[in-house]
Amino acid sequence: MDDQSHPMDLTGRAVLVTGGTRGLGAAIARAFLACGADVMVCGRTTPTALPSTDGREAAFRAADLRDPVAAADVVAATAERFGRLDTLVNNAGGSPDADAATVSPRFVEKVVALNLLAPFYAAQAANLVMREQPGGGGVINIGSVSAHDPQPGTAAYSAAKAGLLGLTRALALEWAPRVRVNHITAGPVRTENSGTLYGDDGLAALADLVPMGRPAEPDDVARACLWLACDLSSYVNGADLAVHGGGEIPARHRATHRPGSRQ
Protein backbone atom coordinates (compact mmCIF):
# COMPACT_ATOMS: atom_id res chain seq x y z
CA MET A 1 0.00 0.00 0.00
CA ASP A 2 1.51 3.33 -1.01
CA ASP A 3 1.35 6.42 1.17
CA GLN A 4 -1.40 8.05 -0.88
CA SER A 5 -3.78 5.17 -0.23
CA HIS A 6 -3.01 4.81 3.47
CA PRO A 7 -6.13 5.53 5.59
CA MET A 8 -4.17 7.88 7.85
CA ASP A 9 -3.15 10.03 4.89
CA LEU A 10 -5.51 12.99 5.25
CA THR A 11 -4.13 15.04 2.39
CA GLY A 12 -6.89 17.18 0.95
CA ARG A 13 -8.96 17.08 4.14
CA ALA A 14 -9.78 20.25 6.06
CA VAL A 15 -9.97 20.31 9.85
CA LEU A 16 -11.07 22.90 12.40
CA VAL A 17 -9.74 22.48 15.95
CA THR A 18 -11.32 24.77 18.53
CA GLY A 19 -9.02 25.86 21.33
CA GLY A 20 -6.24 24.62 19.07
CA THR A 21 -3.54 27.16 19.89
CA ARG A 22 -2.07 25.47 22.98
CA GLY A 23 -2.11 22.36 25.14
CA LEU A 24 -4.16 19.43 23.94
CA GLY A 25 -5.70 21.40 21.08
CA ALA A 26 -2.30 22.29 19.65
CA ALA A 27 -1.24 18.63 19.80
CA ILE A 28 -4.40 17.62 17.93
CA ALA A 29 -3.73 20.30 15.31
CA ARG A 30 -0.13 19.12 14.83
CA ALA A 31 -1.26 15.51 14.45
CA PHE A 32 -3.64 16.43 11.64
CA LEU A 33 -0.98 18.59 9.97
CA ALA A 34 1.47 15.66 10.11
CA CYS A 35 -1.08 13.50 8.28
CA GLY A 36 -1.42 16.03 5.48
CA ALA A 37 -4.62 17.81 6.48
CA ASP A 38 -5.16 21.53 6.20
CA VAL A 39 -5.90 22.84 9.70
CA MET A 40 -7.60 25.92 11.10
CA VAL A 41 -7.34 26.63 14.83
CA CYS A 42 -9.30 29.21 16.78
CA GLY A 43 -9.15 30.86 20.16
CA ARG A 44 -10.16 34.04 21.88
CA THR A 45 -6.67 35.56 21.68
CA THR A 46 -3.99 35.50 19.00
CA PRO A 47 -1.14 33.16 20.01
CA THR A 48 2.56 34.02 19.78
CA ALA A 49 3.07 30.89 17.66
CA LEU A 50 0.77 28.59 15.75
CA PRO A 51 0.86 24.77 15.75
CA SER A 52 3.20 23.53 13.05
CA THR A 53 5.03 20.41 11.95
CA ASP A 54 7.33 19.48 9.07
CA GLY A 55 7.15 23.01 7.70
CA ARG A 56 3.36 23.07 7.67
CA GLU A 57 1.49 25.52 9.91
CA ALA A 58 -2.12 25.84 11.01
CA ALA A 59 -4.18 28.86 10.06
CA PHE A 60 -5.75 30.91 12.83
CA ARG A 61 -8.94 32.87 13.39
CA ALA A 62 -9.89 34.65 16.59
CA ALA A 63 -13.32 33.64 17.87
CA ASP A 64 -15.31 33.34 21.08
CA LEU A 65 -17.39 30.28 20.29
CA ARG A 66 -19.84 31.02 23.09
CA ASP A 67 -21.30 33.49 20.60
CA PRO A 68 -23.24 31.51 17.97
CA VAL A 69 -22.49 34.14 15.31
CA ALA A 70 -18.76 33.86 15.99
CA ALA A 71 -18.97 30.07 15.87
CA ALA A 72 -20.70 30.19 12.50
CA ASP A 73 -18.15 32.72 11.21
CA VAL A 74 -15.10 30.58 12.07
CA VAL A 75 -16.68 27.53 10.44
CA ALA A 76 -17.48 29.55 7.32
CA ALA A 77 -13.94 30.98 7.26
CA THR A 78 -12.46 27.47 7.43
CA ALA A 79 -14.62 26.20 4.58
CA GLU A 80 -13.84 29.29 2.50
CA ARG A 81 -10.09 29.05 3.05
CA PHE A 82 -9.76 25.32 2.33
CA GLY A 83 -12.74 24.76 0.03
CA ARG A 84 -14.42 22.32 2.42
CA LEU A 85 -14.61 21.21 6.06
CA ASP A 86 -14.18 17.51 6.77
CA THR A 87 -13.65 17.38 10.53
CA LEU A 88 -14.56 19.64 13.42
CA VAL A 89 -12.78 18.88 16.70
CA ASN A 90 -14.62 20.57 19.55
CA ASN A 91 -11.70 20.78 21.96
CA ALA A 92 -12.16 24.19 23.64
CA GLY A 93 -13.33 23.81 27.22
CA GLY A 94 -12.33 23.57 30.84
CA SER A 95 -13.09 25.16 34.20
CA PRO A 96 -11.43 25.93 37.52
CA ASP A 97 -12.83 24.14 40.55
CA ALA A 98 -15.61 25.92 42.40
CA ASP A 99 -17.78 25.21 45.46
CA ALA A 100 -21.27 24.42 44.19
CA ALA A 101 -22.82 25.85 47.37
CA THR A 102 -21.47 29.34 46.77
CA VAL A 103 -20.58 29.59 43.08
CA SER A 104 -22.17 32.50 41.24
CA PRO A 105 -24.78 32.09 38.50
CA ARG A 106 -22.45 33.98 36.15
CA PHE A 107 -19.70 31.39 36.70
CA VAL A 108 -22.10 28.52 36.02
CA GLU A 109 -23.39 30.18 32.86
CA LYS A 110 -19.85 30.72 31.53
CA VAL A 111 -18.82 27.12 32.22
CA VAL A 112 -21.92 25.68 30.54
CA ALA A 113 -21.56 28.09 27.62
CA LEU A 114 -17.94 27.10 26.97
CA ASN A 115 -18.26 23.35 27.49
CA LEU A 116 -21.72 22.64 26.05
CA LEU A 117 -23.23 25.54 24.12
CA ALA A 118 -20.09 26.46 22.16
CA PRO A 119 -19.63 22.88 20.83
CA PHE A 120 -23.32 22.86 19.89
CA TYR A 121 -23.02 26.14 17.96
CA ALA A 122 -19.85 25.05 16.15
CA ALA A 123 -21.28 21.63 15.30
CA GLN A 124 -24.51 23.15 14.02
CA ALA A 125 -22.60 25.42 11.66
CA ALA A 126 -20.26 22.63 10.57
CA ASN A 127 -23.16 20.33 9.75
CA LEU A 128 -24.57 22.89 7.33
CA VAL A 129 -21.30 22.77 5.38
CA MET A 130 -20.59 19.05 5.65
CA ARG A 131 -24.00 17.76 4.62
CA GLU A 132 -23.77 19.60 1.27
CA GLN A 133 -20.26 18.49 0.26
CA PRO A 134 -19.06 15.23 -1.30
CA GLY A 135 -18.02 12.79 1.41
CA GLY A 136 -19.90 14.50 4.21
CA GLY A 137 -17.85 15.03 7.36
CA GLY A 138 -17.49 14.38 11.03
CA VAL A 139 -17.58 16.07 14.43
CA ILE A 140 -15.38 14.94 17.33
CA ASN A 141 -16.30 16.24 20.78
CA ILE A 142 -13.53 16.18 23.38
CA GLY A 143 -15.18 15.25 26.67
CA SER A 144 -13.99 14.37 30.13
CA VAL A 145 -14.10 11.60 32.70
CA SER A 146 -16.01 14.15 34.79
CA ALA A 147 -19.06 13.41 32.64
CA HIS A 148 -19.08 9.88 34.06
CA ASP A 149 -17.44 10.33 37.48
CA PRO A 150 -17.80 13.85 38.88
CA GLN A 151 -15.34 15.09 41.49
CA PRO A 152 -15.95 17.68 44.24
CA GLY A 153 -15.68 21.20 42.90
CA THR A 154 -16.73 20.34 39.36
CA ALA A 155 -20.55 20.46 39.48
CA ALA A 156 -21.07 22.91 36.62
CA TYR A 157 -18.24 21.43 34.54
CA SER A 158 -19.38 17.83 35.08
CA ALA A 159 -22.95 18.71 34.18
CA ALA A 160 -21.83 20.49 31.01
CA LYS A 161 -19.58 17.59 29.98
CA ALA A 162 -22.37 15.09 30.64
CA GLY A 163 -24.52 17.26 28.40
CA LEU A 164 -21.83 17.17 25.70
CA LEU A 165 -21.94 13.38 25.72
CA GLY A 166 -25.73 13.46 25.41
CA LEU A 167 -25.48 16.03 22.64
CA THR A 168 -23.05 13.77 20.76
CA ARG A 169 -25.48 10.87 20.81
CA ALA A 170 -28.43 13.03 19.80
CA LEU A 171 -26.62 14.65 16.86
CA ALA A 172 -25.30 11.27 15.73
CA LEU A 173 -28.89 10.12 15.37
CA GLU A 174 -30.03 13.22 13.52
CA TRP A 175 -27.15 13.86 11.15
CA ALA A 176 -26.07 10.43 9.94
CA PRO A 177 -25.19 9.19 7.42
CA ARG A 178 -23.79 12.42 5.94
CA VAL A 179 -22.17 13.61 9.18
CA ARG A 180 -20.80 11.34 11.90
CA VAL A 181 -20.60 12.67 15.46
CA ASN A 182 -18.41 11.00 18.09
CA HIS A 183 -17.10 11.69 21.58
CA ILE A 184 -13.77 11.11 23.33
CA THR A 185 -13.76 10.70 27.10
CA ALA A 186 -10.33 12.02 28.03
CA GLY A 187 -8.69 11.47 31.38
CA PRO A 188 -6.14 13.86 32.91
CA VAL A 189 -3.73 14.98 30.18
CA ARG A 190 -0.17 16.18 30.73
CA THR A 191 0.10 19.70 29.26
CA GLU A 192 1.89 22.93 30.10
CA ASN A 193 -0.99 23.79 32.45
CA SER A 194 -0.92 20.52 34.40
CA GLY A 195 0.85 22.10 37.35
CA THR A 196 -1.89 24.73 37.68
CA LEU A 197 -4.62 22.11 37.63
CA TYR A 198 -3.05 19.32 39.67
CA GLY A 199 -0.15 20.91 41.57
CA ASP A 200 3.56 20.44 40.95
CA ASP A 201 3.46 16.70 41.68
CA GLY A 202 -0.23 16.14 41.05
CA LEU A 203 0.27 14.12 37.88
CA ALA A 204 2.74 11.83 39.64
CA ALA A 205 0.08 11.10 42.26
CA LEU A 206 -2.54 10.57 39.55
CA ALA A 207 -0.32 7.97 37.89
CA ASP A 208 -0.85 5.69 40.89
CA LEU A 209 -4.60 5.82 40.33
CA VAL A 210 -4.61 4.95 36.61
CA PRO A 211 -4.29 1.30 35.51
CA MET A 212 -1.86 2.28 32.73
CA GLY A 213 0.40 3.86 35.35
CA ARG A 214 0.54 7.35 33.82
CA PRO A 215 -1.67 10.24 32.81
CA ALA A 216 -2.46 10.72 29.13
CA GLU A 217 -0.04 12.53 26.87
CA PRO A 218 -1.62 14.96 24.38
CA ASP A 219 -0.67 12.66 21.49
CA ASP A 220 -2.72 9.83 23.03
CA VAL A 221 -5.87 11.88 22.52
CA ALA A 222 -4.67 13.30 19.20
CA ARG A 223 -4.21 9.82 17.72
CA ALA A 224 -7.75 8.91 18.78
CA CYS A 225 -8.97 11.98 16.90
CA LEU A 226 -7.09 10.88 13.78
CA TRP A 227 -8.74 7.47 13.92
CA LEU A 228 -12.22 8.94 14.32
CA ALA A 229 -11.54 11.31 11.41
CA CYS A 230 -10.14 8.76 8.94
CA ASP A 231 -11.83 6.09 6.85
CA LEU A 232 -10.92 3.32 9.31
CA SER A 233 -13.81 4.49 11.49
CA SER A 234 -16.31 5.14 8.70
CA TYR A 235 -19.05 3.12 10.47
CA VAL A 236 -18.39 4.58 13.93
CA ASN A 237 -21.10 7.06 14.90
CA GLY A 238 -22.42 8.17 18.27
CA ALA A 239 -19.51 6.44 20.02
CA ASP A 240 -17.87 7.36 23.29
CA LEU A 241 -14.19 6.44 22.95
CA ALA A 242 -12.47 6.26 26.34
CA VAL A 243 -8.90 7.57 26.29
CA HIS A 244 -8.24 7.50 30.02
CA GLY A 245 -5.81 4.63 30.58
CA GLY A 246 -8.49 2.37 32.03
CA GLY A 247 -10.13 4.93 34.28
CA GLU A 248 -9.45 5.22 37.98
CA ILE A 249 -8.64 2.31 40.27
CA PRO A 250 -11.51 2.12 42.83
CA ALA A 251 -10.84 3.44 46.32
CA ARG A 252 -11.91 0.12 47.85
CA HIS A 253 -9.17 -1.71 45.96
CA ARG A 254 -6.55 0.86 46.92
CA ALA A 255 -7.57 0.67 50.58
CA THR A 256 -7.37 -3.11 50.73
CA HIS A 257 -4.14 -3.41 48.71
CA ARG A 258 -2.02 -0.71 50.32
CA PRO A 259 1.40 -1.76 51.65
CA GLY A 260 1.01 -3.79 54.84
CA SER A 261 -2.69 -4.51 54.34
CA ARG A 262 -4.10 -8.03 54.54
CA GLN A 263 -4.59 -9.69 51.15
Side-chain angles (χ1 to χ4, degrees):
M1 178 180 295
D2 59 40
D3 289 342
Q4 292 302 310
S5 61
H6 193 280
M8 284 294 185
D9 179 7
L10 301 179
T11 301
R13 307 278 184 99
V15 180
L16 169 60
V17 182
T18 71
T21 60
R22 59 190 176 90
L24 175 58
I28 293 170
R30 286 192 295 269
F32 276 103
L33 286 167
C35 288
D38 295 315
V39 178
M40 174 78 77
V41 296
C42 66
R44 281 178 283 176
T45 58
T46 303
T48 56
L50 289 169
S52 63
T53 186
D54 298 329
R56 305 185 68 240
E57 185 176 79
F60 171 77
R61 189 173 181 91
D64 184 346
L65 300 177
R66 296 172 298 181
D67 176 357
V69 174
D73 284 348
V74 75
V75 167
T78 305
E80 181 178 358
R81 182 181 182 103
F82 301 132
R84 57 185 294 116
L85 175 59
D86 296 280
T87 302
L88 164 66
V89 182
N90 273 318
N91 165 76
S95 170
D97 285 358
D99 182 357
T102 58
V103 67
S104 71
R106 180 173 174 80
F107 177 90
V108 174
E109 290 168 2
K110 284 188 172 183
V111 170
V112 173
L114 177 61
N115 292 281
L116 177 57
L117 299 183
F120 197 152
Y121 299 149
Q124 191 176 50
N127 173 62
L128 294 177
V129 173
M130 294 173 179
R131 71 185 186 184
E132 302 299 330
Q133 68 188 11
V139 176
I140 302 169
N141 292 322
I142 305 298
S144 168
V145 291
S146 294
H148 301 273
D149 298 301
Q151 301 294 320
T154 68
Y157 177 73
S158 295
K161 286 301 190 183
L164 182 64
L165 177 56
L167 175 65
T168 299
R169 291 169 172 161
L171 297 183
L173 293 173
E174 291 193 33
W175 294 351
R178 296 294 297 164
V179 178
R180 296 186 296 122
V181 185
N182 290 295
H183 181 276
I184 291 176
T185 291
V189 181
R190 189 192 308 277
T191 68
E192 61 265 31
N193 293 326
S194 296
T196 301
L197 294 172
Y198 303 109
D200 292 340
D201 62 349
L203 284 177
L206 285 172
D208 293 334
L209 308 179
V210 178
M212 289 297 290
R214 64 172 178 84
E217 298 294 338
D219 283 346
D220 293 319
V221 180
R223 285 190 289 266
C225 290
L226 293 178
W227 182 73
L228 286 172
C230 81
D231 294 339
L232 291 173
S233 64
S234 61
Y235 196 65
V236 178
N237 185 42
D240 178 17
L241 178 59
V243 186
H244 56 24
E248 185 175 317
I249 297 171
R252 181 170 61 87
H253 177 87
R254 299 198 304 272
T256 56
H257 290 75
R258 65 182 183 273
S261 64
R262 296 180 63 184
Q263 301 298 312

